[in-house]
Amino acid sequence: MLPWLEHRWTGLGLLVMTLGALILFFFGFFPLKYHTGKLAHMDDLPNFIDDISIDGHQVYNSGENSVILMVIDGLRYDFASEQYMPFVGQLLKNKSACIHVSVAEPPTVTMPRIKSPERKTEKAQWRRTINFWRDVFAMMTGSVSTFADVALNFGAPAVKGDSVLRVARSRGLRTVMYGDDTWLRLFPGLWVEYDGTTSFYVTDYTEVDNNVTRHLDKILAPDETKKPNFDFLVLHYLGLDHIGHLEGARSPKIAPKLIEMDNVVKKIYTAMQKWDRTGVLFICGDHGMRDAGGHGGATPAEVLVPLVVIKSKNFVCPHPVGPGPTVAQVDVAPTIAWLLNAPLPGESTGRILPSLLPDDIRQHLYLLHVVASHNAKLPGLPTDREFYKQFKRAVEHFALYLVTNSRGPATTAKEFYEESLEEMTKYLTETTVSFDMFAIAIGLFLLYALTTALLCVTLYSLQPENQRKLSNTHTHRRSSLGSIIAFVIMLAIVTFILTVSCFITETKSQVCSFDSLWSLVFMSIAIAFTMSYFIIKSGVEKTQELSSLKYLNIIDYLLIGGTLFHAWSFFGTSFIEEEHMTWYFLWNTLMFFLLIRTIVVVVMYLNKRLVGATEVQEKSELHERMCIVGVGILPKWILLIGLHRYLRTMNQTGDRWLFLPDTADWLNNPENSFYLQAHLVIGILLTMAICLYNLRHLNNIMQMQSALTVVATALILIYRISTKALYTPIEEMKTWDTVIIVNIIWGLLAAQFIFEVLSYTGVLKIINFDPSVKYNNKFVYNKPKAKTEDYHYDPIIEEPWNLEEVKLNLARSLSHLLLNHLMLIIILLMRPHNVIMVPSVYITCMLTSKLMDHKLLDNKPGKRTEVVDTLSQTLVHLWIGFLFFFYQGNSNSLASVDLGSGYVGLREYSPVSVALRMGLHAYAGPTLAGATLFCSVATQAQTWQQYLQSVWRVTNIYALHRAYCVTIYCIIAAIFRHHLYVWTVFSPKLLYDFVATVFSIQALLTIAEIIIFTSFASWLAKTVTFKTKL
Amino acid sequence: MFSLNNQLELRRVTISSLNTCIYLPSIVTIVSYKGLLYSIGNGSSFYVLVLIFIAELLKSFYLSSSNDIQGKKIKLNKNRAGDIVKSFLFLLGTLTSFFVGIILFGAPVLDYHEETLMLSTLLTLLTVFPLIAYTGVESSMQLLFGVRSYAKDTVIDMLVTNALLTVCGAWLGAIVIPLDWNTPWQQWPIPCYLGAIGGYLLANVLTVLKVTLMSAAYKYPSLNFLVNILNKLCISK
């Protein structure tokens, strides 16, 4: 299996397999809920019970009801008592109200301290929406939500499936909402009347509630026919939670607040008595609070919330006075739906609250039947379980009751229904929120194996070339048939082990279901294991000579150690949330080390020069080393440190310090717009300068490429003007269409590429474009050895064409063109204050790679340091990429994804273009750093072979780093899968890692494409030239 | 590793290190006992720096007291005033570069200047000042920039190790500031300040241990392999 190890793109292939393993892990880690997307309809009501006909519509009818859902944020269980809320307590005592214990899903985040300006509210808003998401989602759709629900629509967090509101609206009912505006965002367009309040100002706990209460008099007052103005009213009070956040549950402000809420209840209750129809009031909290205030834990005080039901007429609570039975949050949805005479929401898994079920046995049983048959029809519910049989038995007894009308079968039916419902709900909740441990475990093992294989490949590639050749010639080559047989045997063993483990663990996982599609997945897993086994095996055998790693200096150790440590640091949640701090610290340390070493080298050099050379030899060596960079590198480096100090303050990121004001806030102030525009213009012009500088590697005929670059930059400036980021005296420019401008920029970039390829092929020369003056000979095939004296020499055998050189030049030019294009596109996408990042990345990369040169820093001369140079360059570019990722204001929370950048130059939403733009914008730092690295690899290489060699090493190190990060993080995520922050901290980071992996593959594929294209062009030229000219 | 050739120097090094091991912890203990530990970066804690200054000065007098009594004393007497001015300027320069460096590497730019100044003063006192007091301005400059090698001088070896570990301590101290423990001491520059003192202390403790180990190895040759390992570590560094 040696060819695998030696192949240039094995690393890339293994990375692709890593992505596959990661997807497998995701499959286990993020349980997918099968969204049926089914919308409930009244005709869904069963009209036959076991062939006995029954009029569904008539029996289902709950009478005329108006339902009020009063959500009091932070209302914990002990608050709903006579001590705090006298009126409610009294109602509970005389049994005209019913209290239940409801268990809230552990809430996801505590409210961030928001005192921040406009720009950051978006981020905070996202967190808050997620905070409410679980509770509101459960109460309104009747089903438990998964992380996929949240992550898949972070742009516009709206509930897409069926909900109580949807069914109510489809029945033409009036739905009204007063309170927190999260409801409006979650259910857009489903309200007849609303007034959303925003709860960003935690310090405000009176005004938010007054904004809700002030509507009550109007909305509760019945019209002439004593009919209320609404059918379903949602009130969401936030004041209590705000007090809790500010002062804790023992605050003296809590009691008056609860009295205020009590008065609201009283007001509603008295109003309900005046109606001609029944009013039903649900009072519930969405989560509790700790005594110290705040919430986010899983202690009883935080998760136990009351659910009080008050009915205006004919109601006696069937439960004894006391704490009340335990219900789930998902039970609210079907109950409200029934009360509104609407069908159960399509995906609800809850039940109708037992205390509200009617006394009439026929209707009671029918409702139980409706809920049970609804649940039984949900996808993913097996029909071979006991609860399903129980359901069938219940149906039989119900039918018997309908026929005989005797009490016996009725009670049995009721019992059976209740038992089966309980089991069904349990099963459904479990399957939606439980992990597929088998898939997770297999995914982790596979990731581990692949990372080890990548490590072997990388170490193998880090051997010096001659040593590698030497070790290979010694071993005799196995016949290809032999290796195929070995592969098949190993594959069989692996498959056997996997199958056995399937049966031993008795897993319910679909990986082991062995149906057509999954067995394909199963086989690919087995093949991936086998391949990594053989790669590891031959890697361990063939990697003997790692002497070049001896030349690692302390900075390399820092790079390697920092990279290794960073992946393990994620065991602490705050290290995930504040990952930027880790990078800032590591980068600062690196800059400090480099500074010290450079000072030492420069001072030594200057000292020797001033004192005069006593030791001649040493001086010349130093001189040689300094010649490459010059003394000026030291002040440049200090300036760079200053620049990084400045960039670090640009965007506050992470979670804890997010609210602190930063430079970007200051720049975005209207009165500082001059400085913002200065940043923008400087950033764009610097980028243009860098692009023009890079053009020297291109076949720059007649400065055509320069002209195109300048025009593209000018268009970017015009784009900025038309988006009003830049000031202009000409009013007309502000109205120019941005989409057209951006399209022209695309056109220009494409033209640059086509022009480059055309000029390479010599088409321009043929049509006499301009072959004379500015044409440089980099891309012309010529015979360097044409002046051979021996005229009898056969030219075909010697092949004196400079094919390799031209290939290298072409690769260089394409890499630089790629870098230029990426820079131009990114300054188009960036926020105005961040544009300065783009030239900064380039400058940082250039200066750092100059300084990191082992020949400069290590005083012992005469080492072969290419290998360690490649290693340290790759790692440092990875670091720079991450660094700028965070400088730019990204973090490991989904909230920091900049949605605005997705729509640059687009008229309408198209998922692919928006996702690509957002991805490129978010990963601008890593992308640019990577592109710069591959450019410098191309420029530093002397020959084509050397270039391929470096690309091979760099690719392997890149792939290894990615696989390593992913593997460690997946292990951490699997360990912490029950952690409270799994949704807000661990899972978003997993998504980030996933996207990073996809982008790494994409980047490496692009490099592979460049090389393949170059080889293809070379081959074409060779064949054509041989045929025409020889 | 120190050489055993100069027993006198070794003794001096040991005694001065032991002194440090005693006086620094006592200062910190007294300060924390008085409940002033959290104000340690303020200007009000200037007395700590004065104490350290005096202690280091005394130590350096002790270290260089009887070094070639005939030769050096005359030299020193000749241009003592000039030397002091020069050292003062050099110290000021070091202080400024520490100050700028600390800000460049992440200290607050617009405020907390007093605290940053205190930290840079401490760093100067613990790193460059002993070197200057022992060897003089020019040679300490040469030592700092690695122009002259210090491998053979026991005292200078110790002083340079002290300086390195002090800076390391201050650097590592910065790690705890952004963590979410919400303790009162996670504030600029207290962890760095204490880290610098800790690093200096650690260096001195290591010196004492090293000397102890060497003299033990001199008596009991079986310990020699440990010394050899340490020697190898030093060389590879």
Side-chain angles (χ1 to χ4, degrees):
Chain A
M1 306 295 158
L2 196 59
W4 284 350
L5 195 63
E6 280 178 330
H7 196 269
R8 201 176 303 131
W9 300 111
T10 308
L12 182 54
L14 284 171
L15 191 60
V16 174
M17 285 198 251
T18 307
L19 184 68
L22 186 61
I23 290 173
L24 184 70
F25 179 84
F26 270 33
F27 174 79
F29 196 78
F30 297 123
L32 275 182
K33 208 169 64 176
Y34 299 100
H35 281 287
T36 48
K38 198 185 132 215
L39 300 179
H41 198 263
M42 272 318 251
D43 295 338
D44 296 341
L45 290 175
N47 281 327
F48 292 95
I49 311 292
D50 234 11
D51 300 333
I52 313 289
S53 105
I54 184 170
D55 183 0
H57 286 254
Q58 183 251 317
V59 186
Y60 188 72
N61 195 346
S62 58
E64 294 253 297
N65 292 311
S66 280
V67 180
I68 302 172
L69 178 64
M70 181 175 171
V71 181
I72 303 174
D73 222 286
L75 184 75
R76 69 180 199 197
Y77 187 78
D78 61 333
F79 285 163
S81 61
E82 203 165 4
Q83 183 197 349
Y84 289 105
M85 301 176 79
F87 183 73
V88 174
Q90 206 189 334
L91 287 181
L92 286 175
K93 222 177 188 177
N94 61 30
K95 290 215 166 192
S96 39
C98 232
I99 189 165
H100 307 77
V101 186
S102 161
V103 183
E105 294 283 332
T108 47
V109 274
T110 56
M111 195 123 78
R113 287 143 289 188
I114 304 145
K115 277 183 241 156
S116 49
E118 194 64 23
R119 201 172 55 85
K120 284 169 190 157
T121 53
E122 212 173 288
K123 291 184 190 179
Q125 201 167 34
W126 186 85
R127 283 190 153 244
R128 215 168 55 86
T129 311
I130 302 303
N131 198 7
F132 285 121
W133 176 284
R134 279 191 179 185
D135 306 309
V136 173
F137 191 93
M139 284 197 280
M140 286 295 105
T141 67
S143 58
V144 185
S145 55
T146 60
F147 182 71
D149 291 325
V150 180
L152 290 180
N153 48 47
F154 57 89
V159 175
K160 297 223 175 69
D162 208 357
S163 63
V164 173
L165 288 156
R166 215 278 314 162
V167 292
R169 289 294 293 148
S170 72
R171 300 277 291 160
L173 303 177
R174 276 180 66 83
T175 49
V176 183
M177 200 321 285
Y178 298 122
D180 190 86
D181 59 352
T182 309
W183 288 76
L184 302 179
R185 277 200 300 279
L186 288 182
F187 304 99
L190 292 176
W191 307 97
V192 178
E193 199 185 321
Y194 56 82
D195 179 28
T197 55
T198 171
S199 65
F200 279 119
Y201 307 101
V202 188
T203 45
D204 163 33
Y205 45 82
T206 37
E207 207 53 32
V208 272
D209 288 354
N210 289 344
N211 280 342
V212 180
T213 314
R214 66 184 170 164
H215 297 284
L216 278 183
D217 286 326
K218 197 184 91 217
I219 194 82
L220 289 175
D223 57 8
E224 308 83 60
T225 57
K226 293 179 87 180
K227 199 170 154 280
N229 281 321
F230 65 93
D231 297 293
F232 181 42
L233 170 66
V234 175
L235 304 171
H236 196 138
Y237 284 98
L238 293 162
L240 184 65
D241 191 43
H242 286 188
I243 295 175
H245 277 294
L246 283 177
E247 304 190 2
R250 300 237 180 277
S251 159
K253 293 192 181 108
I254 292 276
K257 193 53 154 184
L258 287 170
I259 297 287
E260 185 192 328
M261 293 295 112
D262 199 43
N263 289 334
V264 172
V265 175
K266 197 170 180 180
K267 187 186 246 174
I268 295 172
Y269 189 75
T270 28
M272 285 199 302
Q273 302 296 336
K274 294 179 192 142
W275 301 342
D276 64 335
R277 48 159 84 179
T278 320
V280 185
L281 170 64
F282 292 88
I283 305 166
C284 63
D286 58 348
H287 54 74
M289 61 168 76
R290 276 195 290 257
D291 278 347
H295 49 89
T299 60
E302 286 160 85
V303 295
L304 291 189
V305 290
L307 173 64
V308 180
V309 182
I310 302 171
K311 213 169 161 184
S312 62
K313 288 178 190 125
N314 321 321
F315 183 64
V316 178
C317 182
H319 309 300
V321 180
T326 306
V327 294
Q329 265 182 329
V330 290
D331 294 344
V332 175
T335 313
I336 294 178
W338 169 64
L339 287 171
L340 293 173
N341 274 329
L344 307 183
E347 282 164 23
S348 97
T349 56
R351 323 155 52 177
I352 294 175
L353 288 181
S355 55
L356 283 173
L357 282 174
D359 295 331
D360 175 32
I361 294 174
R362 191 150 167 268
Q363 195 182 12
H364 191 130
L365 283 178
Y366 183 74
L367 287 175
L368 284 175
H369 176 77
V370 168
V371 177
S373 61
H374 175 91
N375 286 1
K377 267 186 251 159
L378 283 174
L381 199 82
T383 50
D384 53 351
R385 294 295 183 94
E386 182 56 29
F387 52 74
Y388 195 77
K389 287 171 194 152
Q390 189 84 328
F391 165 63
K392 283 288 170 207
R393 261 174 252 143
V395 174
E396 275 165 32
H397 281 94
F398 187 22
L400 193 65
Y401 163 74
L402 286 179
V403 176
T404 61
N405 217 359
S406 63
R407 281 202 88 81
T411 29
T412 334
K414 194 178 158 200
E415 254 170 46
F416 282 0
Y417 271 129
E418 273 166 5
E419 270 169 35
S420 84
L421 260 178
E422 197 166 310
E423 289 297 310
M424 272 191 219
T425 313
K426 213 166 121 194
Y427 180 86
L428 283 169
T429 324
E430 251 171 35
T431 47
T432 39
V433 295
S434 67
F435 302 101
D436 183 345
M437 281 315 288
F438 190 77
I440 290 180
I442 293 287
L444 282 181
F445 274 121
L446 196 54
L447 280 173
Y448 178 73
L450 289 169
T451 309
T452 319
L454 266 170
L455 180 68
C456 286
V457 170
T458 311
L459 286 180
Y460 180 75
S461 70
L462 286 182
Q463 296 181 104
E465 195 168 8
N466 44 358
Q467 301 286 352
R468 203 164 58 229
K469 293 245 170 74
L470 212 65
S471 71
N472 288 348
T473 44
H474 280 305
T475 54
H476 66 281
R477 302 222 168 227
R478 236 181 263 162
S479 68
S480 60
L481 186 68
S483 31
I484 289 172
I485 290 175
F487 184 83
V488 169
I489 291 173
M490 204 55 217
L491 182 63
I493 293 173
V494 171
T495 319
F496 177 72
I497 293 173
L498 276 177
T499 319
V500 166
S501 63
C502 263
F503 286 109
I504 285 178
T505 53
E506 293 179 338
T507 172
K508 284 179 235 160
S509 168
Q510 274 175 299
V511 180
C512 288
S513 64
F514 296 112
D515 59 1
S516 57
L517 204 63
W518 278 108
S519 50
L520 207 67
V521 173
F522 196 78
M523 275 324 282
S524 352
I525 294 170
I527 289 174
F529 267 120
T530 320
M531 283 180 81
S532 48
Y533 167 76
F534 279 110
I535 289 172
I536 293 168
K537 183 167 168 283
S538 45
V540 170
E541 279 167 7
K542 294 293 178 307
T543 312
Q544 290 139 348
E545 185 34 57
L546 282 173
S547 60
S548 51
L549 292 186
K550 206 162 60 194
Y551 302 128
L552 292 175
N553 60 17
I554 186 157
I555 290 163
D556 300 325
Y557 282 120
L558 174 69
L559 277 170
I560 296 169
T563 316
L564 293 182
F565 163 77
H566 156 252
W568 288 99
S569 72
F570 293 141
F571 268 102
T573 48
S574 54
F575 278 99
I576 303 176
E577 283 180 312
E578 316 289 333
E579 194 193 339
H580 58 287
M581 291 287 187
T582 315
W583 284 117
Y584 293 173
F585 185 79
L586 288 175
W587 177 250
N588 261 345
T589 314
L590 182 78
M591 285 204 296
F592 182 64
F593 273 46
L594 277 176
L595 178 70
I596 298 295
R597 289 202 88 130
T598 322
I599 287 178
V600 169
V601 170
V602 168
V603 169
M604 262 162 86
Y605 172 66
L606 287 180
N607 192 51
K608 289 258 162 65
R609 256 185 108 172
L610 291 178
V611 168
T614 42
E615 305 130 287
V616 182
Q617 204 217 338
E618 209 176 307
K619 189 214 162 190
S620 70
E621 257 162 25
L622 246 181
H623 189 69
E624 212 171 86
R625 276 155 62 192
M626 287 309 295
C627 269
I628 317 168
V629 286
V631 180
I633 193 84
L634 188 59
K636 274 188 210 158
W637 186 248
I638 292 170
L639 282 180
L640 186 77
I641 295 175
L643 175 69
H644 276 259
R645 179 75 185 83
Y646 177 64
L647 291 180
R648 206 156 48 231
T649 61
M650 186 62 95
N651 291 293
Q652 282 289 341
T653 182
D655 180 46
R656 192 167 146 76
W657 312 105
L658 181 66
F659 66 97
L660 288 179
D662 53 28
T663 314
D665 290 333
W666 186 82
L667 286 175
N668 281 314
N669 255 353
E671 63 256 38
N672 298 325
S673 70
F674 171 75
Y675 297 99
L676 181 65
Q677 292 180 18
H679 272 79
L680 184 62
V681 172
I682 290 173
I684 292 178
L685 291 182
L686 272 179
T687 313
M688 186 178 81
I690 292 167
C691 286
L692 289 177
Y693 179 66
N694 277 341
L695 286 181
R696 73 190 187 283
H697 294 287
L698 263 62
N699 198 1
N700 192 3
I701 307 171
M702 290 269 295
Q703 311 296 337
M704 197 65 177
Q705 301 279 21
S706 315
L708 285 175
T709 310
V710 172
V711 173
T713 322
L715 277 174
I716 289 170
L717 280 171
I718 292 173
Y719 168 80
R720 291 293 180 182
I721 289 170
S722 60
T723 51
K724 290 162 193 75
L726 267 184
Y727 167 77
T728 172
I730 310 160
E731 278 300 311
E732 200 192 329
M733 282 174 86
K734 286 183 187 165
T735 56
W736 286 357
D737 190 1
T738 53
V739 178
I740 295 173
I741 297 172
V742 174
N743 284 341
I744 297 174
I745 296 174
W746 294 135
L748 283 177
L749 298 186
Q752 267 196 318
F753 179 74
I754 293 167
F755 195 75
E756 178 66 21
V757 174
L758 281 184
S759 70
Y760 165 76
T761 54
V763 171
L764 300 179
K765 210 165 156 188
I766 293 168
I767 59 169
N768 274 332
F769 187 66
D770 176 31
S772 56
V773 201
K774 297 269 159 92
Y775 203 78
N776 57 18
N777 286 329
K778 272 193 294 192
F779 297 94
V780 181
Y781 290 110
N782 53 21
K783 297 181 182 180
K785 294 180 198 163
K787 289 185 281 180
T788 167
E789 283 105 40
D790 189 0
Y791 287 102
H792 306 291
Y793 208 67
D794 191 356
I796 299 172
I797 294 168
E798 195 197 10
E799 200 193 310
W801 301 92
N802 58 344
L803 282 175
E804 303 280 279
E805 204 184 311
V806 176
K807 256 197 217 170
L808 182 60
N809 280 330
L810 186 61
R812 263 181 207 164
S813 84
L814 286 181
S815 314
H816 281 91
L817 200 60
L818 178 76
L819 175 63
N820 277 2
H821 284 180
L822 279 175
M823 283 201 287
L824 290 175
I825 294 168
I826 286 168
I827 55 172
L828 190 66
L829 298 179
M830 281 280 188
R831 290 281 168 107
H833 58 265
N834 276 341
V835 167
I836 197 88
M837 301 282 171
V838 176
S840 305
V841 178
Y842 184 81
I843 294 167
T844 311
C845 288
M846 282 300 140
L847 264 183
T848 318
S849 47
K850 246 188 206 172
L851 260 191
M852 298 270 301
D853 192 355
H854 285 75
K855 290 207 176 76
L856 175 71
L857 289 182
D858 294 348
N859 19 22
K860 279 167 238 151
K863 287 179 186 172
R864 298 178 53 79
T865 54
E866 296 94 42
V867 178
V868 271
D869 265 337
T870 314
L871 181 66
S872 61
Q873 297 269 332
T874 314
L875 285 179
V876 90
H877 278 83
L878 277 170
W879 279 31
I880 294 172
F882 278 115
L883 194 70
F884 276 91
F885 179 77
F886 291 110
Y887 278 172
Q888 197 194 319
N890 287 318
S891 69
N892 283 328
S893 140
L894 291 184
S896 59
V897 177
D898 188 0
L899 300 168
S901 63
Y903 294 89
V904 170
L906 280 184
R907 248 184 250 288
E908 65 235 358
Y909 178 77
S910 104
V912 179
S913 343
V914 171
L916 274 180
R917 273 156 227 241
M918 268 162 48
L920 184 59
H921 175 260
Y923 284 89
T927 316
L928 287 179
T932 317
L933 173 64
F934 278 104
C935 281
S936 64
V937 163
T939 37
Q940 277 162 14
Q942 305 292 328
T943 63
W944 176 247
Q945 283 310 319
Q946 214 176 341
Y947 172 66
L948 288 184
Q949 182 91 9
S950 319
V951 166
W952 183 36
R953 285 175 182 149
V954 171
T955 311
N956 285 341
I957 296 170
Y958 247 86
L960 173 65
H961 172 258
R962 199 89 283 283
Y964 171 73
C965 285
V966 164
T967 308
I968 303 292
Y969 191 70
C970 281
I971 292 171
I972 291 170
I975 290 173
F976 286 110
R977 64 189 178 281
H978 294 301
H979 195 279
L980 190 66
Y981 288 160
V982 71
W983 273 25
T984 45
V985 177
F986 287 104
S987 306
K989 170 74 183 157
L990 263 181
L991 291 189
Y992 270 100
D993 262 351
F994 178 76
V995 176
T997 313
V998 172
F999 270 84
S1000 305
I1001 290 175
Q1002 157 66 27
L1004 296 180
L1005 272 179
T1006 313
I1007 301 304
E1009 276 161 18
I1010 287 179
I1011 289 176
I1012 290 167
F1013 178 79
T1014 315
S1015 303
F1016 171 74
S1018 173
W1019 170 81
L1020 202 69
K1022 201 156 79 180
T1023 38
V1024 170
T1025 321
F1026 273 126
K1027 271 181 193 160
T1028 53
K1029 289 192 182 165
L1030 297 174
Chain B
M1 207 61 185
F2 305 145
S3 60
L4 273 171
N5 302 333
N6 197 338
Q7 286 292 339
L8 186 67
E9 272 197 352
L10 255 185
R11 213 176 73 197
R12 284 215 189 104
V13 164
T14 320
I15 288 176
S16 79
S17 291
L18 271 175
N19 262 329
T20 319
C21 291
I22 293 162
Y23 91 83
L24 262 184
S26 4
I27 290 179
V28 174
T29 318
I30 290 168
V31 166
S32 67
Y33 181 71
K34 289 264 181 189
L36 296 172
L37 198 60
Y38 298 151
S39 67
I40 202 158
N42 281 348
S44 60
S45 69
F46 191 69
Y47 59 91
V48 175
L49 295 180
V50 174
L51 283 177
I52 292 176
F53 175 76
I54 293 168
E56 290 298 325
L57 202 63
L58 288 176
K59 257 171 64 187
S60 72
F61 278 145
Y62 170 70
L63 278 174
S64 55
S65 56
S66 46
N67 241 2
D68 287 340
I69 305 167
Q70 293 86 6
K72 263 192 184 167
K73 225 170 193 177
I74 303 160
K75 250 189 204 170
L76 281 174
N77 279 339
K78 242 184 188 174
N79 43 11
R80 174 151 265 187
D83 256 3
I84 288 176
V85 171
K86 241 196 217 166
S87 329
F88 184 72
L89 286 179
F90 184 63
L91 280 179
L92 212 62
T94 326
L95 185 72
T96 327
S97 44
F98 265 124
F99 187 76
V100 173
I102 290 171
I103 284 185
L104 271 185
F105 281 114
V109 186
L110 297 177
D111 34 27
Y112 290 104
H113 281 162
E114 187 184 308
E115 281 80 357
T116 313
L117 194 66
M118 296 300 280
L119 179 62
S120 35
T121 319
L122 178 79
L123 285 177
T124 319
L125 269 184
L126 293 184
T127 55
V128 183
F129 175 66
L131 264 178
I132 287 183
Y134 180 68
T135 62
V137 176
E138 267 148 34
S139 45
S140 65
M141 256 169 109
Q142 285 173 348
L143 280 169
L144 270 183
F145 293 126
V147 177
R148 222 176 77 186
S149 126
Y150 52 83
K152 295 210 172 90
D153 195 325
T154 313
V155 180
I156 291 179
D157 190 6
M158 176 196 79
L159 292 178
V160 170
T161 322
N162 285 356
L164 277 180
L165 280 181
T166 310
V167 175
C168 275
W171 192 263
L172 293 179
I175 292 180
V176 295
I177 296 180
L179 295 182
D180 61 346
W181 300 338
N182 290 324
T183 53
W185 48 264
Q186 275 174 297
Q187 213 185 8
W188 178 254
I190 299 167
C192 292
Y193 202 94
L194 293 179
I197 291 180
Y200 190 67
L201 206 60
L202 182 73
N204 280 300
V205 171
L206 284 182
T207 310
V208 174
L209 284 181
K210 255 197 250 173
V211 175
T212 324
L213 182 72
M214 279 172 66
S215 41
Y218 189 65
K219 266 188 187 168
Y220 310 100
S222 55
L223 283 171
N224 261 329
F225 83 100
L226 265 178
V227 179
N228 285 336
I229 290 171
L230 280 177
N231 270 331
K232 261 181 199 161
L233 275 179
C234 284
I235 289 162
S236 68
K237 184 172 72 181

